[in-house]
Amino acid sequence: MFYNVTMMADRDGDDDSDIGVKLETRPKTKRPPLYKVMILNDDYTPMEFVVHVLERFFGMTHDQSVELMYVVHQKGLAVVGVYSHEIAETKVALVMDLAARHQHPLQCTMEKE
Ligand code: TYC
């Protein structure tokens, strides 16, 4: 949590030396931006590989993964999770690395929400 600290000026000019300086604190409501992580359909990546990726990196059950894999297969892409910038970048890198190591063309990208 962050705080704004504002010093209040002495506006009436009397001798306030005995009361010190008033600090006004107020919580900031600004949250860090979130990023959608998406996977894209292609013609070559095996369905079971995509299901495995969704289970392994996106905390889905097997049934959830199968369902979302079919959404991507039919619609072309889907959001598979929403994370902070650092976590999203890590997920994208992990997916892309595993796909490349298996020589699958699976694409995973991130976009600011
Ligand atoms: N279209 C692929 C196939 O028919 C399966 C697939 C689904 C690939 C989702 C990528 O993100 C993907 N084998």
Side-chain angles (χ1 to χ4, degrees):
M1 183 66 77
F2 302 102
Y3 294 91
N4 279 337
V5 177
T6 309
M7 291 215 277
M8 306 300 286
D10 179 9
R11 277 193 282 265
D12 55 4
D14 64 353
D15 181 7
D16 292 335
S17 59
D18 58 333
I19 61 169
V21 177
K22 182 182 174 190
L23 296 177
E24 193 177 74
T25 60
R26 122 180 110 83
K28 268 191 181 177
T29 53
K30 226 174 137 190
R31 273 179 270 252
L34 292 174
Y35 293 80
K36 299 180 285 192
V37 172
M38 290 157 298
I39 60 169
L40 279 60
N41 187 38
D42 66 73
D43 292 338
Y44 304 102
T45 303
M47 290 182 171
E48 316 81 66
F49 182 81
V50 178
V51 171
H52 170 72
V53 160
L54 295 176
E55 289 177 21
R56 179 160 168 184
F57 299 125
F58 298 97
M60 297 181 201
T61 66
H62 184 74
D63 288 359
Q64 290 171 333
S65 299
V66 170
E67 197 172 315
L68 195 51
M69 181 279 297
Y70 275 115
V71 171
V72 179
H73 179 68
Q74 284 157 14
K75 299 204 166 192
L77 86 176
V79 175
V80 297
V82 176
Y83 307 96
S84 70
H85 189 272
E86 190 177 359
I87 300 290
E89 261 190 344
T90 303
K91 301 270 183 197
V92 169
L94 289 169
V95 173
M96 296 298 283
D97 180 67
L98 190 69
R101 286 198 280 127
H102 287 80
Q103 299 178 293
H104 296 317
L106 179 65
Q107 294 295 304
C108 182
T109 61
M110 60 190 274
E111 181 183 291
K112 200 170 181 176
E113 228 184 14

